Amino acid sequence: RDCTMTDNFNYPIKSWGEIKDKYRYGSLIIGNGASVALHQKFRFDSLKHEAEELELFNDDIAKLFIEFSTSDFELILRLVWHAKLVNNYLGISDLKIDSAYENIKNALIQVVREVHCEHAQIVDQLPNIYQFTKQFSTIVSLNYDLILYWIRMYGNDTNINNDGHIFKDCFIANGRFNHDWKRFREPYGRNQRDITLTFYQHGNLSIFRDAKNVENKVQRDESNNLLQVITSQWGEEKIPLFVAEGTGTKKLESIKSSPYLSTIFYEVLPTLITKNKNLVIYGWGLGKQETHLIEQIFKQEIGGKVAISTHSKDQNECHRIYQLIKKYSKEIEIEFFDSQSSGCWNNP
């Protein structure tokens, strides 16, 4: 890197306390850095890479990743699962497909167990995160881990917080997502005063899809035990809905293949920043492989402010992000804040 570049620009790195009032009732996007702040093991390149390190794939699975030129775990899982379902329906016995399915399913369970924290490991940080997240009217998580799920459970537990605030994920009683999501902004009953809607743009380990592409959220709430939830719900008939690694094009294909993810992409993302609703981005590096999201979020060409957290405080990186956003929206005001400053995310 050419250090002299920084002579030409200087982006102040503010503290969260200095800017937070402008973002109240705005929107929040959380990326992988938010999960890493709670649990170092989330700092992995890819689930596939982790699974290879642990030597969890047999040769057939390794071959499939090469054949389909992808590193997207969920895509390969889905392909093998569909093949298995077709065989089952046609009464074909195919041991190779069956064992490939078992292999990749078990590999995913093991690798998630390897990188994911237990609820007990982060429970003491939930009060701080709750105080931070409840300030926003919409939260979109780009992670498929259970952190946001746990924040919601903590925030909605009236034994702990009887403060009139409620998180809603727009899934209704039967575990189905209600596509008329805007109506959830309305308070229901007199105990609800403030509402935060939460969405998972890359799916989540707690959401499943079946062979007919019907999507359901896990119905059991004792999801303190993550792996139990995944394994007990995960039968022959459904698999978790999440977009794993891959290029932007591949990620966008996965998003389009899901009614839930498409609704977030086409309807929620473009409303995150408006003239009177500002946006905070925490722990997301706005990388090349996520251009499809950046385009969608900033395509409205309207004013508004966006505050982006920085861990490294690297001026070149700030400059890259600044230029990237300005390419899509010249009107937006962009500022940077220290991801470890007091009051933001898990910082007391």
Side-chain angles (χ1 to χ4, degrees):
R1 284 196 177 177
D2 179 9
C3 295
T4 56
M5 267 181 71
T6 50
D7 297 348
N8 311 331
F9 47 78
N10 176 35
Y11 297 95
I13 310 293
K14 302 171 180 174
S15 72
W16 173 245
E18 280 174 72
I19 63 171
K20 67 176 186 184
D21 292 344
K22 295 181 272 190
Y23 295 92
R24 193 158 173 71
Y25 304 117
S27 309
L28 170 69
I29 294 176
I30 51 177
N32 187 245
S35 295
V36 172
L38 300 180
H39 183 65
Q40 278 298 309
K41 278 200 170 172
F42 282 126
R43 194 190 292 283
F44 56 84
D45 289 336
S46 80
L47 283 181
K48 170 181 177 271
H49 180 72
E50 290 295 309
E52 286 166 343
E53 292 281 290
L54 297 166
E55 299 180 355
L56 298 178
F57 294 144
N58 62 30
D59 295 345
D60 289 338
I61 297 295
K63 245 189 257 158
L64 286 174
F65 278 104
I66 295 163
E67 276 305 314
F68 287 92
S69 61
T70 184
S71 55
D72 187 339
F73 215 122
E74 194 265 352
L75 176 67
I76 297 298
L77 174 66
R78 208 164 8 121
L79 290 168
V80 175
W81 175 61
H82 280 150
K84 181 175 166 58
L85 287 175
V86 169
N87 285 341
N88 288 353
Y89 295 145
L90 298 178
I92 298 166
S93 144
D94 184 336
L95 297 176
K96 216 163 183 188
I97 285 282
D98 291 354
S99 85
Y101 174 70
E102 284 307 312
N103 177 244
I104 194 161
K105 172 178 129 174
N106 292 331
L108 178 65
I109 289 168
Q110 265 180 273
V111 79
V112 168
R113 190 176 284 151
E114 182 64 29
V115 300
H116 208 296
C117 51
E118 293 295 333
H119 183 262
Q121 290 172 282
I122 61 141
V123 70
D124 57 335
Q125 305 194 58
L126 290 176
N128 286 335
I129 303 177
Y130 171 64
Q131 290 306 325
F132 175 66
T133 49
K134 69 184 265 198
Q135 301 171 73
F136 301 95
S137 67
T138 311
I139 299 177
V140 174
S141 170
L142 305 180
N143 311 324
Y144 43 83
D145 60 50
L146 283 199
I147 302 294
L148 182 57
Y149 194 99
W150 286 336
I151 297 165
R152 284 188 49 254
M153 282 178 59
Y154 174 87
N156 289 349
D157 183 342
T158 47
N159 297 324
I160 309 173
N161 306 297
N162 211 349
D163 57 4
H165 177 276
I166 187 138
F167 290 108
K168 297 180 182 178
D169 61 7
C170 311
F171 282 83
I172 43 183
N174 57 1
R176 296 279 174 87
F177 178 68
N178 186 318
H179 288 270
D180 182 14
W181 56 274
K182 290 191 178 95
R183 74 183 182 84
F184 291 92
R185 294 223 180 269
E186 293 308 309
Y188 176 76
R190 46 173 179 208
N191 301 338
Q192 293 185 11
R193 283 197 308 277
D194 285 330
I195 290 160
T196 302
L197 299 189
T198 63
F199 301 95
Y200 304 100
Q201 178 62 88
H202 288 148
N204 193 259
L205 294 168
S206 65
I207 303 169
F208 287 80
R209 63 164 129 198
D210 70 14
K212 298 188 172 79
N213 219 15
V214 171
E215 298 162 331
N216 264 66
K217 193 182 77 162
V218 165
Q219 286 296 282
R220 298 207 343 251
D221 252 359
E222 58 270 29
S223 42
N224 298 357
N225 192 340
L226 158 78
L227 265 305
Q228 210 107 27
V229 171
I230 297 175
T231 45
S232 68
Q233 295 281 326
W234 186 349
E236 302 281 286
E237 295 304 316
K238 53 185 181 176
I239 58 172
L241 168 73
F242 67 98
V243 178
E245 300 66 42
T247 60
T249 317
K250 285 264 197 305
K251 281 183 169 175
L252 189 50
E253 280 168 21
S254 298
I255 286 170
K256 286 177 173 172
S257 78
S258 151
Y260 171 67
L261 302 181
S262 323
T263 298
I264 300 169
F265 186 77
Y266 291 110
E267 296 179 22
V268 180
L269 293 192
T271 65
L272 292 179
I273 186 165
T274 61
K275 270 202 168 52
N276 39 19
K277 191 159 80 166
N278 296 327
L279 171 65
V280 172
I281 293 176
Y282 190 88
W284 177 33
L286 293 91
K288 274 201 294 288
Q289 67 288 11
E290 278 131 357
T291 314
H292 56 293
L293 300 179
I294 298 161
E295 228 169 273
Q296 201 60 5
I297 294 161
F298 296 107
K299 71 179 195 179
Q300 300 293 26
E301 276 296 339
I302 42 180
K305 295 181 176 59
V306 59
I308 299 160
S309 76
T310 167
H311 186 66
S312 66
K313 309 181 187 52
D314 177 339
Q315 287 286 314
N316 291 317
E317 192 50 18
C318 292
H319 190 56
R320 180 190 70 79
I321 290 172
Y322 183 89
Q323 288 184 305
L324 178 66
I325 293 174
K326 285 291 186 184
K327 189 171 110 185
Y328 296 108
S329 188
K330 294 178 180 51
E331 301 301 308
I332 281 177
E333 285 178 52
I334 302 165
E335 56 187 347
F336 296 92
F337 69 99
D338 179 352
S339 68
Q340 290 162 294
S341 55
S342 175
C344 66
W345 193 237
N346 64 331
N347 302 295

